[in-house]
Amino acid sequence: MRESRDVFHLAIPVYDLARTEHFYVRQLGCKLARIYDDRITLDFFGDQLVCHKTEAPVGGPPMAEELDLYPRHFGVTFRQAADFEALHYLCVERDLPFFRPLGIRFEGMVEVHRTFVLRDPSDNLLEFKHYADPRMMY
Amino acid sequence: MRESRDVFHLAIPVYDLARTEHFYVRQLGCKLARIYDDRITLDFFGDQLVCHKTEAPVGGPPMAEELDLYPRHFGVTFRQAADFEALHYLCVERDLPFFRPLGIRFEGMVEVHRTFVLRDPSDNLLEFKHYADPRMMY
Amino acid sequence: MRESRDVFHLAIPVYDLARTEHFYVRQLGCKLARIYDDRITLDFFGDQLVCHKTEAPVGGPPMAEELDLYPRHFGVTFRQAADFEALHYLCVERDLPFFRPLGIRFEGMVEVHRTFVLRDPSDNLLEFKHYADPRMMY
Amino acid sequence: MRESRDVFHLAIPVYDLARTEHFYVRQLGCKLARIYDDRITLDFFGDQLVCHKTEAPVGGPPMAEELDLYPRHFGVTFRQAADFEALHYLCVERDLPFFRPLGIRFEGMVEVHRTFVLRDPSDNLLEFKHYADPRMMY
Amino acid sequence: MRESRDVFHLAIPVYDLARTEHFYVRQLGCKLARIYDDRITLDFFGDQLVCHKTEAPVGGPPMAEELDLYPRHFGVTFRQAADFEALHYLCVERDLPFFRPLGIRFEGMVEVHRTFVLRDPSDNLLEFKHYADPRMMY
Amino acid sequence: MRESRDVFHLAIPVYDLARTEHFYVRQLGCKLARIYDDRITLDFFGDQLVCHKTEAPVGGPPMAEELDLYPRHFGVTFRQAADFEALHYLCVERDLPFFRPLGIRFEGMVEVHRTFVLRDPSDNLLEFKHYADPRMMY
Amino acid sequence: MRESRDVFHLAIPVYDLARTEHFYVRQLGCKLARIYDDRITLDFFGDQLVCHKTEAPVGGPPMAEELDLYPRHFGVTFRQAADFEALHYLCVERDLPFFRPLGIRFEGMVEVHRTFVLRDPSDNLLEFKHYADPRMMY
Amino acid sequence: MRESRDVFHLAIPVYDLARTEHFYVRQLGCKLARIYDDRITLDFFGDQLVCHKTEAPVGGPPMAEELDLYPRHFGVTFRQAADFEALHYLCVERDLPFFRPLGIRFEGMVEVHRTFVLRDPSDNLLEFKHYADPRMMY
């Protein structure tokens, strides 16, 4: 388990603060915390996500095939299947951009888990997971 | 607050698994969870850090001036000052590589906080924070 | 004590959604949750505040003497003095509109408590309290 | 989530302290905390409700059609469906005055929730909710 | 520790329901939960006290010397000294009837604790304790 | 809810310390905490029970019809039905002396609950309860 | 219940640190905490296991019949059946060395429980249990 | 942290059940849970200690110099210094047999901790610890 009163924080690059707020707050259901000219901060499932305004890459957004889940992505692993399923349902209902649909990884192994990946407006990849065995969450 | 039984997870690139384990486990005091040929997973202050083996950049490690804390870094914001101070003490005592020493950000503002930044063997930047006002942790 | 996973919710009238968001999110440090054309919802110290767009009264805002703390107001009673004090400090530093400055009520009685009251842009009155004896919080 | 040791407090107008106590304590099952000549305080599902004695409006109680759930009402959103259902059952069994019967709002949307509304003896409206997705509780 | 969601319950004899409510609710600061013709129930520091209407003994209330703390009494042992001290302060300020003033028992032994005893209107004796060593609370 | 780190304590008369220990520890599954010549203390479902050695009444134990559940008895109200049922099962399996078998009180009312009562070797009556609606536990 | 922030610690003899790490971390899914030349420490289901490098007995490992579960063994008793079952599944799937397969002890008694026992590379015996009645966990 | 509702269990050899109960319950302040002819079980600081009756070694108890803290011992690491200090005080006041007096280990290192060791009547060694840095508790 983790200290519930501490907070993990992650800083990521985003191309447009308004589109970022739209994706994370209006669509994904996170909460907007603080607003500055060059960044916004979010309560992302109880942790802090700091979105720094960055220049978008020249030449427009990459094609899906050009993006790689590895080595960089982030997200939340839910302890309760119901929380994982509620989020997946929200993502489908609100038509959020999926990078990878719902699937299973490490099938046949003790660390088997369900997972799906979203793509935010700045091509950051967000993975959400639920493990069959909670001890495998690390 | 956050759900203490959920876990934030972050995937980062690392150049050498043995050096990564040395830094995070032996030096930083995190715990090693799972080991594969191409990655290791860590219990990082209660959240999951997945370190993916990646090719180191040609030309050797960047100079400190070439590294930028923005837009990407990660870490933990401690609720209790004692936890923040204990970690800083550990980092000094064990001579961990600092990218930025202990300092204060947003001084004079309600969101003032203490912070220091480490540099891991793969040039990932880790920031640890403690806010004067816990409501500013987001 | 209360169930930490339940949420108290309060619906209040507001005259202007943008000014409301500015007051509650940028100034008071609450978090913006959901946005509609006719209302916004906020994570208000962990409870839900729903701000409904309403017609402002004809004749402009009342004078302070015309507003009455009774019978309607709302707010939070903090268990920890440090949380109460941190919020008061924030309100002073950010120059929030006070309706009543920091003071003491029921002095000399067991239910003595410190209190201050803010006035939001729609003339809703927000009272924050800290009791000397936590059993008097009800 | 919210700090379980803090308490939300709301001050509302009531016309008659005895009838108020009857409704909230004997009927709704809340607990009576403190009693003064001009107000009573209640432990309302773990939060504080302060009922201030106020003059009833001339001309008797409004008709149901004259009351409006917007913009003012308050209540509790339950995390657990069982708690919501137990309360609804109590309200039906004890024949409490309903302003709106059990129904569903925002159907077809992620923020769908069940709700019912009571009317207290002073025409304050109390809404109780349960969301399909707990992240929509704000 | 104990299960915080369970409740200890105790049934005691009382001679007069109104005087009992006055003592426990108005004076001691407990909360009134349910009211019947022959009993009232109280939220007594988080546990349930059920006060059953009983015939008062013929010949009037006993003298203090006739009452014995042993073998029957009840109360709460506080984990935090501050809670114990706040209650004692309330009892002194509100002039509650003490059966034994604040004192120390088992002095010089590991199970040393501070204690005071109240006498309710029906001659039930209430003891409140705080131990120097919390492991001695059992 | 109640403070899980506080402890309710009750002092009761017992006729024989060895028989008391046998009943509460070996049979009922409570834990023995401290032992003196004239009393023993028990961890009774997380609260403290202090059993004071007292003279047994002349003429032997009362008949069941002579004992009265009112106005004095004590016990635990379980939040979880499973805990209530596990204890009842233990009492039946271990053939503990029942004063009242498993039954329902206040049937047809919101405060309906299941209950059974044991009789300890000193004729103290122990009632264990489980309410359909947890808000009725007070 | 126990203090979740305290930790039970046990020191055991192991013959080979690398084999020990393989068993406890790679196979059993515990986490490696600290590494010295003569010992390693593990986060063993939230408690601390300290494995001290010791000389293996001359004559090779004992036969299963030579090992005795009594009087020395250690392990975890799970409150939730699901946690017990998940661990047993992991042990079977990863082909961990069982000393005793899944079975039932004290059948027909209130303290009935399911149990299985593993044998680590140094012939330490690890027992994992789940009781039908949680009050029998002590 | 660990799951507060799980329990670590340890089985140890003891030579005499009565002397064991005297040491652990009357002296050390643990609680007696279950009693059989060949073992007793204890609530040892919230975990389970099962003491199995075993033949004492021929030739009487070893001299202190013959006993070795390594590789086998057990105990509790306290999160709070106050809990560690209260226990040490109890051990001194009640004149428990110390194997090692209060001292400091790993001085000058981040994993520095205070420790003392007791010797039970069966020559089992019990170590109690408190770390300066809680992250070093594993």
Side-chain angles (χ1 to χ4, degrees):
Chain A
M1 271 198 310
R2 60 185 184 170
E3 285 282 347
S4 64
R5 290 168 73 87
D6 289 342
V7 158
F8 190 96
H9 69 90
L10 176 68
I12 58 171
V14 301
Y15 306 142
D16 179 302
L17 295 183
R19 290 191 60 199
T20 300
E21 185 184 330
H22 183 267
F23 174 82
Y24 283 97
V25 181
R26 285 188 185 254
Q27 292 193 293
L28 196 55
C30 301
K31 297 176 221 163
L32 179 64
R34 294 190 273 131
I35 310 142
Y36 303 88
D37 293 336
D38 62 345
R39 75 193 74 182
I40 62 174
T41 75
L42 304 165
D43 175 337
F44 177 86
F45 298 87
D47 289 298
Q48 186 198 37
L49 196 59
V50 186
C51 305
H52 293 276
K53 175 86 174 73
T54 311
E55 283 295 317
V58 169
M63 305 290 291
E65 313 81 70
E66 294 177 288
L67 285 182
D68 196 349
L69 191 60
Y70 305 96
R72 289 189 196 283
H73 60 269
F74 69 94
V76 176
T77 299
F78 296 98
R79 180 80 190 218
Q80 298 291 341
D83 292 334
F84 174 81
E85 289 153 10
L87 182 65
H88 181 258
Y89 175 80
L90 174 152
C91 293
V92 169
E93 281 306 298
R94 291 184 171 181
D95 201 27
L96 266 60
F98 277 75
F99 181 73
R100 279 195 188 169
L102 185 58
I104 298 179
R105 296 242 317 150
F106 288 110
E107 193 147 22
M109 299 176 69
V110 171
E111 53 266 55
V112 60
H113 56 278
R114 289 181 291 167
T115 158
F116 63 91
V117 183
L118 305 177
R119 174 181 179 170
D120 89 350
S122 310
D123 303 317
N124 292 299
L125 298 177
L126 282 64
E127 181 184 27
F128 297 95
K129 303 192 283 188
H130 179 263
Y131 285 78
D133 182 347
R135 290 183 67 239
M136 298 293 117
M137 283 167 71
Y138 294 97
Chain B
M1 274 199 307
R2 57 186 185 171
E3 284 283 346
S4 62
R5 292 166 73 87
D6 290 340
V7 158
F8 189 96
H9 69 91
L10 176 70
I12 57 171
V14 301
Y15 307 141
D16 178 301
L17 294 183
R19 289 190 63 197
T20 299
E21 184 185 333
H22 184 267
F23 174 82
Y24 283 98
V25 182
R26 286 188 183 253
Q27 291 193 293
L28 197 55
C30 300
K31 298 175 220 162
L32 179 65
R34 297 190 270 130
I35 309 143
Y36 303 88
D37 293 337
D38 62 343
R39 76 194 71 181
I40 62 173
T41 75
L42 304 165
D43 176 335
F44 177 86
F45 299 86
D47 288 300
Q48 184 198 40
L49 197 60
V50 185
C51 303
H52 293 276
K53 174 85 174 72
T54 311
E55 283 295 316
V58 169
M63 305 291 290
E65 312 83 70
E66 294 177 287
L67 285 181
D68 196 347
L69 190 60
Y70 304 97
R72 289 188 196 282
H73 60 270
F74 68 94
V76 176
T77 299
F78 296 98
R79 181 79 189 220
Q80 298 290 342
D83 293 333
F84 174 82
E85 290 153 10
L87 182 65
H88 182 257
Y89 175 81
L90 173 154
C91 293
V92 169
E93 283 306 296
R94 292 184 170 180
D95 201 25
L96 266 60
F98 276 76
F99 181 72
R100 279 196 187 170
L102 185 58
I104 298 180
R105 294 241 319 147
F106 287 111
E107 194 149 22
M109 299 176 68
V110 171
E111 53 265 56
V112 59
H113 56 278
R114 289 182 291 168
T115 159
F116 64 91
V117 182
L118 305 177
R119 173 178 178 172
D120 88 353
S122 309
D123 303 317
N124 292 299
L125 299 178
L126 283 63
E127 181 184 27
F128 297 96
K129 302 192 285 188
H130 179 263
Y131 285 77
D133 182 348
R135 291 183 66 239
M136 296 295 119
M137 285 168 69
Y138 294 99
Chain C
M1 273 199 307
R2 57 186 184 170
E3 285 282 347
S4 63
R5 291 168 74 87
D6 289 341
V7 158
F8 189 97
H9 70 91
L10 176 69
I12 57 169
V14 301
Y15 306 143
D16 179 302
L17 295 182
R19 289 191 62 197
T20 300
E21 185 184 330
H22 184 267
F23 174 83
Y24 283 97
V25 181
R26 286 189 183 254
Q27 292 194 293
L28 197 55
C30 300
K31 297 176 221 163
L32 178 64
R34 296 189 272 128
I35 309 142
Y36 303 88
D37 292 336
D38 62 341
R39 75 195 72 182
I40 62 175
T41 74
L42 304 165
D43 175 337
F44 177 86
F45 299 85
D47 289 298
Q48 184 198 40
L49 196 60
V50 185
C51 304
H52 292 277
K53 174 88 174 72
T54 310
E55 283 294 316
V58 169
M63 305 290 292
E65 312 83 69
E66 293 178 288
L67 285 181
D68 196 348
L69 190 59
Y70 304 98
R72 288 188 199 282
H73 59 270
F74 68 93
V76 176
T77 299
F78 296 98
R79 180 79 190 220
Q80 299 289 343
D83 292 333
F84 174 82
E85 290 153 10
L87 182 65
H88 181 258
Y89 174 80
L90 173 152
C91 293
V92 170
E93 282 306 297
R94 292 185 170 180
D95 201 26
L96 266 60
F98 277 76
F99 181 73
R100 280 194 187 170
L102 184 58
I104 298 181
R105 294 238 323 144
F106 286 112
E107 194 149 21
M109 299 176 69
V110 171
E111 54 266 55
V112 59
H113 56 279
R114 289 183 290 168
T115 157
F116 64 91
V117 183
L118 305 177
R119 174 179 176 169
D120 89 352
S122 310
D123 303 317
N124 293 299
L125 299 178
L126 283 63
E127 181 184 27
F128 297 95
K129 303 191 284 188
H130 179 263
Y131 285 78
D133 182 347
R135 290 182 66 240
M136 297 294 118
M137 285 167 69
Y138 293 99
Chain D
M1 269 198 308
R2 60 185 183 169
E3 285 283 345
S4 62
R5 291 168 72 87
D6 289 343
V7 158
F8 189 96
H9 70 91
L10 176 69
I12 57 170
V14 301
Y15 306 143
D16 178 302
L17 295 182
R19 289 191 62 197
T20 300
E21 185 184 330
H22 183 267
F23 174 82
Y24 284 98
V25 181
R26 286 189 183 253
Q27 292 193 294
L28 197 54
C30 301
K31 296 175 221 163
L32 178 64
R34 295 189 274 131
I35 309 139
Y36 303 89
D37 292 337
D38 62 343
R39 74 194 74 179
I40 62 175
T41 76
L42 304 164
D43 175 337
F44 178 85
F45 299 86
D47 288 300
Q48 185 199 38
L49 196 59
V50 186
C51 304
H52 293 276
K53 173 87 173 74
T54 311
E55 283 294 317
V58 169
M63 306 290 291
E65 312 83 69
E66 294 177 288
L67 286 181
D68 196 347
L69 191 58
Y70 305 98
R72 289 189 196 283
H73 60 269
F74 68 94
V76 176
T77 299
F78 296 97
R79 180 79 190 219
Q80 298 292 340
D83 293 334
F84 174 81
E85 290 153 10
L87 182 65
H88 182 258
Y89 174 80
L90 173 153
C91 294
V92 170
E93 282 306 298
R94 290 184 171 180
D95 201 26
L96 265 60
F98 278 75
F99 180 72
R100 279 195 188 169
L102 185 58
I104 298 181
R105 294 243 317 150
F106 288 111
E107 193 148 23
M109 299 176 69
V110 171
E111 53 267 54
V112 59
H113 56 279
R114 289 181 291 167
T115 159
F116 64 91
V117 183
L118 305 177
R119 174 182 179 168
D120 88 350
S122 309
D123 303 318
N124 293 299
L125 300 177
L126 283 63
E127 180 184 29
F128 297 94
K129 303 192 283 187
H130 178 263
Y131 285 78
D133 182 347
R135 289 183 68 240
M136 296 293 118
M137 285 168 69
Y138 294 98
Chain E
M1 271 198 308
R2 57 186 184 171
E3 284 282 346
S4 63
R5 290 166 74 86
D6 290 340
V7 158
F8 190 96
H9 70 92
L10 176 69
I12 58 169
V14 301
Y15 305 144
D16 179 303
L17 295 183
R19 289 192 63 197
T20 300
E21 186 186 330
H22 183 266
F23 174 82
Y24 284 97
V25 181
R26 285 191 184 253
Q27 292 193 292
L28 198 54
C30 301
K31 296 176 221 162
L32 178 64
R34 296 191 271 129
I35 310 142
Y36 303 89
D37 291 338
D38 62 343
R39 75 193 74 179
I40 63 175
T41 75
L42 304 165
D43 176 337
F44 177 86
F45 298 86
D47 289 299
Q48 185 198 38
L49 196 60
V50 186
C51 304
H52 293 277
K53 173 88 174 72
T54 310
E55 283 295 316
V58 169
M63 304 292 291
E65 312 82 69
E66 293 176 289
L67 286 181
D68 195 349
L69 190 59
Y70 304 98
R72 288 189 197 283
H73 59 268
F74 69 94
V76 176
T77 299
F78 296 98
R79 180 79 190 218
Q80 299 289 342
D83 293 333
F84 174 81
E85 290 153 11
L87 182 64
H88 182 258
Y89 174 80
L90 174 152
C91 293
V92 169
E93 283 306 298
R94 291 184 172 182
D95 202 27
L96 266 59
F98 277 76
F99 181 72
R100 281 196 186 168
L102 185 58
I104 298 180
R105 295 239 320 147
F106 287 111
E107 193 149 22
M109 299 176 69
V110 172
E111 55 266 56
V112 59
H113 55 278
R114 288 182 291 168
T115 158
F116 64 92
V117 183
L118 304 178
R119 174 180 178 169
D120 88 350
S122 309
D123 303 317
N124 292 298
L125 299 178
L126 284 63
E127 180 184 27
F128 297 95
K129 302 191 284 187
H130 179 262
Y131 285 77
D133 183 349
R135 290 183 67 239
M136 297 293 117
M137 284 168 69
Y138 293 99
Chain F
M1 270 198 310
R2 57 186 185 169
E3 286 282 349
S4 63
R5 291 168 74 86
D6 290 343
V7 157
F8 190 95
H9 70 91
L10 176 69
I12 57 171
V14 301
Y15 306 143
D16 178 301
L17 294 184
R19 289 191 62 196
T20 300
E21 184 183 334
H22 183 267
F23 174 82
Y24 283 98
V25 181
R26 287 190 183 251
Q27 290 192 296
L28 197 54
C30 300
K31 297 177 223 164
L32 178 64
R34 296 190 272 131
I35 310 141
Y36 304 89
D37 292 337
D38 62 344
R39 75 192 73 180
I40 63 175
T41 75
L42 304 164
D43 176 337
F44 177 87
F45 300 85
D47 288 298
Q48 184 197 39
L49 196 60
V50 186
C51 304
H52 293 277
K53 173 85 173 75
T54 310
E55 283 294 318
V58 168
M63 306 291 291
E65 312 82 70
E66 294 177 289
L67 286 181
D68 194 349
L69 189 59
Y70 305 98
R72 289 188 197 282
H73 59 270
F74 68 94
V76 176
T77 299
F78 296 97
R79 180 82 190 217
Q80 299 290 341
D83 293 333
F84 174 81
E85 291 153 9
L87 181 65
H88 181 258
Y89 174 80
L90 173 153
C91 294
V92 169
E93 282 307 297
R94 291 184 170 182
D95 202 26
L96 266 58
F98 276 76
F99 181 74
R100 278 196 189 170
L102 184 58
I104 298 180
R105 295 240 321 148
F106 286 111
E107 193 148 22
M109 298 176 70
V110 171
E111 53 266 56
V112 59
H113 55 278
R114 289 181 291 168
T115 158
F116 64 90
V117 183
L118 304 177
R119 175 180 177 170
D120 89 351
S122 309
D123 303 317
N124 292 298
L125 299 177
L126 283 63
E127 180 185 28
F128 297 95
K129 303 192 284 188
H130 179 263
Y131 286 78
D133 182 348
R135 289 183 68 240
M136 297 292 118
M137 285 169 70
Y138 294 100
Chain G
M1 270 199 309
R2 58 185 185 171
E3 284 283 348
S4 63
R5 291 169 74 88
D6 290 342
V7 157
F8 189 97
H9 69 91
L10 177 69
I12 57 171
V14 301
Y15 306 142
D16 179 301
L17 294 184
R19 289 192 61 198
T20 300
E21 184 184 332
H22 183 267
F23 174 82
Y24 283 98
V25 181
R26 285 187 184 253
Q27 291 193 294
L28 196 54
C30 300
K31 298 176 221 165
L32 178 64
R34 295 190 273 131
I35 311 144
Y36 304 88
D37 291 335
D38 62 344
R39 76 193 73 181
I40 62 174
T41 75
L42 304 165
D43 175 337
F44 177 87
F45 298 86
D47 289 299
Q48 186 198 39
L49 197 60
V50 186
C51 304
H52 293 276
K53 173 85 172 76
T54 310
E55 282 297 317
V58 169
M63 305 290 292
E65 312 85 69
E66 294 177 290
L67 286 181
D68 196 350
L69 190 58
Y70 305 98
R72 289 189 198 281
H73 59 269
F74 68 94
V76 176
T77 300
F78 296 98
R79 179 82 190 215
Q80 298 291 341
D83 293 333
F84 174 81
E85 290 152 11
L87 182 65
H88 181 257
Y89 174 80
L90 175 152
C91 294
V92 169
E93 282 307 296
R94 291 184 170 180
D95 201 27
L96 267 60
F98 276 77
F99 181 73
R100 279 196 188 169
L102 185 57
I104 297 180
R105 294 241 320 149
F106 286 113
E107 193 147 25
M109 298 176 69
V110 172
E111 53 267 56
V112 59
H113 56 278
R114 289 182 290 169
T115 158
F116 63 92
V117 183
L118 305 178
R119 174 178 177 171
D120 89 351
S122 309
D123 304 316
N124 292 297
L125 299 177
L126 282 65
E127 181 184 27
F128 297 95
K129 303 191 283 188
H130 179 263
Y131 285 78
D133 182 348
R135 290 185 66 239
M136 297 292 119
M137 285 168 70
Y138 293 99
Chain H
M1 273 199 308
R2 57 185 185 172
E3 284 283 347
S4 65
R5 291 166 74 85
D6 290 341
V7 159
F8 189 96
H9 69 90
L10 176 71
I12 57 172
V14 301
Y15 305 143
D16 178 302
L17 294 184
R19 289 192 62 197
T20 300
E21 185 184 330
H22 183 269
F23 174 82
Y24 283 96
V25 181
R26 286 188 184 253
Q27 292 193 296
L28 197 55
C30 299
K31 296 176 222 164
L32 178 64
R34 296 190 270 130
I35 310 141
Y36 302 90
D37 291 337
D38 63 344
R39 75 193 73 181
I40 61 174
T41 75
L42 304 164
D43 175 337
F44 177 86
F45 298 87
D47 289 298
Q48 186 199 36
L49 196 61
V50 186
C51 305
H52 294 276
K53 173 87 174 71
T54 310
E55 282 296 315
V58 169
M63 304 291 290
E65 313 83 69
E66 294 176 288
L67 286 181
D68 196 348
L69 190 59
Y70 304 98
R72 288 190 197 282
H73 60 269
F74 68 95
V76 176
T77 299
F78 296 98
R79 180 78 190 219
Q80 298 290 342
D83 292 334
F84 174 81
E85 289 154 10
L87 182 64
H88 182 256
Y89 174 80
L90 174 152
C91 294
V92 169
E93 282 306 297
R94 291 183 171 182
D95 201 26
L96 267 60
F98 277 75
F99 181 72
R100 280 195 187 170
L102 185 58
I104 299 179
R105 296 241 319 150
F106 288 111
E107 194 149 22
M109 298 176 70
V110 171
E111 54 266 56
V112 60
H113 56 278
R114 288 181 292 168
T115 159
F116 64 91
V117 183
L118 304 178
R119 173 180 178 170
D120 88 351
S122 309
D123 303 317
N124 293 297
L125 298 177
L126 284 62
E127 180 185 28
F128 297 95
K129 302 192 284 188
H130 179 264
Y131 285 77
D133 182 349
R135 290 183 67 238
M136 297 293 117
M137 285 169 69
Y138 294 98

